[in-house]
Amino acid sequence: MIYSLCDIAGKDRATNKPIISIRAMDMEMQLLRYFRDYGLDDDPDWRESLDVILESQREDGCFPLSSDCHMPSDARVDFLYRPTYACCQIMMRALLGGKLSNEQGQRVKTALSRGLAFSCGRGLNGHGIEDLERQCEDVADFGHAGITEIAERYPMLCPEFFSLINKIGDEYVERIANGDVIYYFGSNLAQKILTAAESLGRTNLSLDKIQRYLEMDSKRKNR
């Protein structure tokens, strides 16, 4: 089993709400990402592991790391949304791999449709001052997991999500063209924006501009 709902640390005595272990959450996310990137190729029991993931989905389409939905907005990104993104990416890879039985393939498509719909909830944005940086990382993960191919093969699976990620890709191309790559506190996101845009198949981007932005950033840091 590579995935489970992890209210690891028990419950708060005053509120009777789960106390969620950050360390456990980080370990769980590492397992999910490892399974996404390598498990479907190397794990002899990957079908059973995929079944565990499918059984963990909530009615609203989420794959949570906590059964407590009543949490601050920023915590929901880490405990609800990002795990859901990772589980959707695992299902995408499984679907594109062509090794599923008809029955499991249908289960995956149904769960993926619901998971992608839930993923639209925050527009793939992160939280706080790292909102765009985290969005770039998550978009790149979707791109590398094959979201453009999924959209081509199964256009009715979740049109809302496909439209969202296509819009984000267009926004990244526009940011690169306009040099709009510097974020909070002078953080240069040129490389992450470029990586995310390319993962969605956006080519013919102005690489010389990106290189110039990175060189400018390097000079600024060395002053």
Side-chain angles (χ1 to χ4, degrees):
M1 179 183 295
I2 61 95
Y3 184 84
S4 61
L5 197 66
C6 60
D7 289 337
I8 298 291
K11 293 192 175 184
D12 186 289
R13 291 182 180 179
T15 65
N16 200 39
K17 289 184 177 181
I19 301 172
I20 306 165
S21 166
I22 300 299
R23 182 170 178 270
M25 183 198 74
D26 288 341
M27 291 177 62
E28 197 77 0
M29 283 301 299
Q30 288 176 25
L31 283 171
L32 281 173
R33 287 168 175 154
Y34 185 87
F35 184 66
R36 177 194 64 200
D37 296 337
Y38 307 106
L40 274 67
D41 302 318
D42 298 339
D43 182 358
D45 299 319
W46 67 266
R47 286 182 178 83
E48 288 77 7
S49 298
L50 182 60
D51 282 337
V52 173
I53 290 175
L54 292 173
E55 291 164 6
S56 300
Q57 190 174 35
R58 269 188 347 205
E59 286 298 318
D60 62 359
C62 174
F63 293 88
L65 290 184
S66 169
S67 57
D68 182 15
C69 307
H70 306 290
M71 60 181 73
S73 177
D74 56 347
R76 288 174 63 83
V77 173
D78 292 327
F79 288 96
L80 302 183
Y81 281 94
R82 298 196 92 186
T84 299
Y85 302 159
C87 288
C88 285
Q89 292 151 15
I90 289 169
M91 291 186 288
M92 286 162 49
R93 285 206 61 209
L95 202 54
L96 294 173
K99 300 178 184 178
L100 300 175
S101 66
N102 290 338
E103 180 184 355
Q104 194 172 37
Q106 188 56 52
R107 286 183 66 204
V108 166
K109 282 190 278 189
T110 299
L112 178 57
S113 176
R114 293 168 56 210
L116 291 177
F118 180 88
S119 298
C120 293
R122 290 185 62 98
L124 295 182
N125 289 311
H127 60 83
I129 63 174
E130 297 180 332
D131 58 346
L132 178 58
E133 183 175 4
R134 293 292 171 265
Q135 185 194 64
C136 289
E137 294 170 358
D138 292 330
V139 167
D141 285 341
F142 271 109
H144 294 142
I147 190 63
T148 53
E149 189 173 352
I150 288 288
E152 290 173 0
R153 289 194 190 185
Y154 311 103
M156 300 312 296
L157 192 71
C158 189
E160 180 186 5
F161 185 85
F162 300 149
S163 176
L164 169 65
I165 205 159
N166 188 58
K167 178 183 176 182
I168 291 173
D170 291 343
E171 290 173 354
Y172 288 173
V173 171
E174 187 174 350
R175 278 184 177 275
I176 292 169
N178 296 334
D180 184 13
V181 296
I182 307 301
Y183 215 51
Y184 290 116
F185 303 110
S187 177
N188 191 327
L189 299 183
Q191 190 60 61
K192 289 198 171 185
I193 293 172
L194 175 65
T195 298
E198 288 183 329
S199 77
L200 300 179
R202 302 305 203 273
T203 56
N204 300 320
L205 302 176
S206 184
L207 300 184
D208 58 327
K209 282 188 177 182
I210 289 291
Q211 186 60 41
R212 190 159 64 249
Y213 302 149
L214 294 174
E215 289 174 355
M216 289 169 57
D217 190 49
S218 178
K219 290 178 181 177
R220 180 180 61 80
K221 290 179 178 178
N222 292 330
R223 286 177 184 171

